[in-house]
């Protein structure tokens, strides 16, 4: 089945790219951009992205490698990723 009409990428191409990336580097994080790159193509209109992501999720080899799971635990109330409160330019100018 054709997933991306603009670049003629099929579901078989996506599965093959995921399998190839996982075999070459078991610890890699697989993204749509990496799949496009592995296939030697670039995203065009983006209309295929929902189907592209669904096809990726159906791949057995897509899971995050165990060594990378849980590296970044999000804490409750930590909305600024550990930055101080006035890290934004708009907040600094308002405080002055």
């Amino acid at each position: 089945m054709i997933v991306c009409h603009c670049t003629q990428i099929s579901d078989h191409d996506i599965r093959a790219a995921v399998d190839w990336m996982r075999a070459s580097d078991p610890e890699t994080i697989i993204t749509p951009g990496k799949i496009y790159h592995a296939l030697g193509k670039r995203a065009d209109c983006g209309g295929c992205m929902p189907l592209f992501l669904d096809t990726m999720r159906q791949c057995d080899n897509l899971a995050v490698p165990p060594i990378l799971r849980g590296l970044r635990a999000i804490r409750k109330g930590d909305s600024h990723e550990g930055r101080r409160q006035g890290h934004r330019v708009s907040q600094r100018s308002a405080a002055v």
Side-chain angles (χ1 to χ4, degrees):
M1 164 180 69
I2 296 292
V3 174
C4 178
H5 291 280
C6 299
T7 58
Q8 299 301 310
I9 295 176
S10 70
D11 59 335
H12 299 291
D13 296 333
I14 294 171
R15 288 188 184 96
V18 169
D19 291 343
W20 174 78
M21 283 189 274
R22 186 61 69 213
S24 64
D25 183 3
E27 297 178 1
T28 192
I29 299 293
I30 299 172
T31 64
K34 287 182 179 181
I35 291 174
Y36 273 103
H37 185 73
L39 296 172
K41 304 194 178 190
R42 297 176 67 174
D44 192 13
C45 72
C48 65
M49 205 48 63
L51 183 57
F52 198 99
L53 292 171
D54 285 342
T55 305
M56 282 178 60
R57 288 183 192 118
Q58 293 172 2
C59 295
D60 295 331
N61 288 334
L62 186 66
V64 175
I67 195 168
L68 298 177
R69 290 182 193 154
L71 288 180
R72 182 174 176 219
I74 299 173
R75 296 176 289 216
K76 277 190 174 179
D78 194 10
S79 62
H80 294 291
E81 299 175 348
R83 298 182 190 133
R84 58 185 171 76
Q85 278 298 103
H87 70 277
R88 292 193 174 113
V89 175
S90 62
Q91 290 173 341
R92 281 188 249 154
S93 62
V96 175

